[in-house]
């Protein structure tokens, strides 16, 4: 293989959803880069995804137990022979020039040890309002120009094979902070970069309930898994906004818990001021993330912008709630561990 056209191993962890996997593999067939090795890691799925992958020319590797995408990615890397490893989720269809652009950037910037891509603002299959919200929100959040902190996402990530061998595999013990952990490890010796030249369409969740469940779980697990030195999962302004939304709920009771409220001794002006606290908190939270709301109105119009705003407030609140639960669990576990060590010393 030439330096301009190295072999790229595309590693795809897969668990069921064979229809979406087919779209992912179709997009790889359309890539302008001429030399691809496609490895689909079947994570003990029950559908015919492995048969679909094999019929479309992919190398199929199977895990022994269902362990999630992180062990699957590591297993795929063990079977890869390419000079560049391109990790890709099975529900993402890349634009035709995505791999070629990744190769070019890594060739022109040898100091880059990990190169992340972005998601386009359109959902791959589901076109429900919730999927359209999530597509727009994640596109905005992944765009490098709008990132307050530089994160990598293992779902669209190119890494030179020599760097992967040097840094080591993804940490299979981590659940939601594996990408942040990998970024920290790479940046000890190399630079990391996000590029909007590497783009793909993801099939987003079709209902708000599913999105909220995932946001809560990921925020909770991120708080539990977080390690010192890792990039926080959110920007500081947005995190503050989430805290304000959480605080707005108990603040609803302010007019009733003010001293003298039960006896009717609170002036009407004070009650009105207390009643304004929750909406002021919500307005401040929205102002802290104003760019995201403006982005939605600008790209989808007023009607969808209003829908987006309502769902985004719910998502921000749910993420803050999940983080708060995770921090509480982390503190409780730390306390129990400390007590256990003290008991062992007695």
């Amino acid at each position: 293989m030439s330096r301009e056209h190295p072999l790229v191993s595309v590693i795809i962890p897969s668990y069921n959803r064979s229809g979406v996997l087919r779209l992912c593999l179709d997009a790889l067939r359309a890539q302008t880069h001429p030399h691809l090795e496609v490895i689909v890691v079947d994570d003990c799925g029950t559908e015919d995804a492995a048969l679909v992958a094999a019929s479309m020319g992919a190398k199929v590797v199977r895990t022994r137990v269902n362990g999630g995408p992180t062990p699957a990615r590591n297993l795929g890397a063990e079977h890869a022979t390419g000079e560049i490893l391109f990790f890709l989720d099975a529900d993402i269809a890349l634009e035709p020039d995505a791999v070629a652009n990744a190769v070019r950037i890594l060739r022109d910037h040898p100091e880059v040890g990990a190169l992340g891509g972005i998601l386009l603002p359109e959902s791959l299959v589901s076109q429900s309002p919730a999927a359209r919200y999530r597509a727009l929100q994640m596109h905005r959040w992944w765009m490098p120009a709008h990132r307050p902190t530089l994160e990598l996402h293992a779902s669209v990530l190119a890494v030179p094979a020599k760097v992967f061998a040097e840094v080591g595999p993804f940490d299979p013990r981590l659940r939601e902070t594996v990408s942040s952990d990998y970024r920290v490890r790479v940046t000890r010796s190399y630079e990391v970069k996000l590029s909007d030249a590497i783009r793909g369409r993801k099939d987003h969740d079709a209902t708000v309930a599913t999105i909220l469940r995932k946001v809560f779980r990921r925020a909770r697990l991120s708080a539990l898994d977080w390690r010192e030195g890792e990039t926080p999962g959110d920007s500081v302004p947005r995190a503050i906004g989430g805290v304000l939304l959480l605080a707005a709920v108990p603040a609803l009771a302010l007019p009733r818990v003010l001293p003298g409220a039960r006896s009717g001794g609170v002036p009407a002006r004070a009650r009105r001021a207390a009643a304004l606290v929750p909406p002021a908190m919500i307005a401040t939270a929205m102002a802290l993330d104003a760019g995201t709301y403006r982005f939605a109105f600008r790209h989808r119009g007023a009607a969808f912008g209003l829908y987006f705003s309502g769902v985004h407030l719910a998502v921000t609140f749910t993420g803050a709630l999940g983080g708060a639960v995770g921090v509480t669990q982390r503190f409780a576990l730390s306390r129990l561990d400390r007590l256990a060590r003290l008991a062992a010393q007695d």
Side-chain angles (χ1 to χ4, degrees):
M1 301 297 174
S2 66
R3 183 171 179 267
E4 289 75 19
H5 302 295
L7 178 64
V8 177
S9 296
V10 183
I11 299 165
I12 306 170
S14 173
Y15 181 70
N16 296 332
R17 302 200 68 197
S18 55
V20 175
L21 175 63
R22 186 182 294 276
L23 296 177
C24 173
L25 296 176
D26 278 337
L28 289 176
R29 283 180 166 180
Q31 291 299 303
T32 58
H33 185 77
H35 301 302
L36 296 182
E37 174 187 52
V38 180
I39 302 173
V40 173
V41 185
D42 181 24
D43 194 20
C44 296
T46 58
E47 291 186 8
D48 60 349
L51 293 176
V52 168
S55 70
M56 298 183 70
K59 180 191 298 186
V60 178
V61 180
R62 292 179 175 83
T63 59
R64 293 184 179 180
V65 295
N66 176 255
T70 299
R73 291 183 186 110
N74 289 338
L75 180 61
E78 292 176 10
H79 288 79
T81 61
E83 298 173 52
I84 296 173
L85 308 182
F86 196 119
F87 298 97
L88 179 68
D89 278 2
D91 59 355
I92 297 175
L94 292 175
E95 292 290 278
D97 59 353
V99 174
N101 288 336
V103 169
R104 172 180 53 79
I105 293 170
L106 289 174
R107 181 193 65 218
D108 295 343
H109 299 276
E111 72 279 3
V112 174
L115 176 64
I118 68 161
L119 298 177
L120 289 166
E122 301 87 19
S123 182
L124 179 60
V125 177
S126 176
Q127 298 301 319
S128 69
R132 293 174 63 207
Y133 156 79
R134 194 61 164 158
L136 200 64
Q137 182 260 330
M138 291 188 74
H139 171 74
R140 162 77 186 184
W141 192 236
W142 280 33
M143 282 293 286
H146 303 293
R147 295 294 293 135
T149 55
L150 181 60
E151 288 188 27
L152 294 177
H153 301 276
S155 50
V156 186
L157 181 65
V159 182
K162 64 177 183 179
V163 174
F164 192 82
E166 178 184 338
V167 174
F170 300 106
D171 190 339
R173 299 170 297 176
L174 300 180
R175 292 157 289 186
E176 298 299 335
T177 58
V178 61
S179 297
S180 294
D181 170 78
Y182 198 71
R183 181 197 67 82
V184 170
R185 289 159 55 199
V186 171
T187 51
R188 290 170 184 159
S189 303
Y190 300 92
E191 294 181 13
V192 299
K193 181 179 177 64
L194 296 180
S195 174
D196 56 8
I198 305 166
R199 301 164 295 167
R201 285 178 175 80
K202 176 181 174 63
D203 187 40
H204 291 279
D205 294 313
T207 67
V208 173
T210 302
I211 294 171
L212 294 180
R213 282 197 301 270
K214 288 186 176 182
V215 166
F216 179 86
R217 178 179 62 85
R218 289 170 180 170
R220 183 181 67 83
L221 294 178
S222 292
L224 278 172
D225 284 345
W226 182 81
R227 298 178 179 183
E228 187 175 352
E230 291 177 2
T231 302
D234 237 329
S235 68
V236 172
R238 190 176 176 191
I240 294 173
V243 172
L244 287 172
L245 291 178
L246 282 180
V249 174
L252 290 170
L254 275 177
R256 295 187 294 275
V257 300
L258 288 172
R262 293 186 179 181
S263 62
V266 179
R269 181 180 298 177
R271 290 198 301 271
R272 287 195 296 269
L276 290 174
V277 171
M281 288 179 167
I282 295 172
T284 303
M286 296 183 72
L288 289 169
D289 199 14
T292 299
Y293 294 98
R294 287 196 300 267
F295 182 78
F297 276 87
R298 186 167 64 250
H299 282 76
R300 294 289 187 270
F304 189 80
L306 290 173
Y307 172 84
F308 181 99
S309 299
V311 176
H312 195 59
L313 280 171
V315 166
T316 305
F317 174 87
T318 302
L321 181 61
V325 172
V327 168
T328 302
Q329 290 178 318
R330 185 185 181 100
F331 175 79
L333 291 172
S334 176
R335 188 71 179 270
L336 289 173
D337 182 62
R338 191 181 306 115
L339 291 173
R341 288 200 303 268
L342 290 173
Q345 294 173 4
D346 292 341

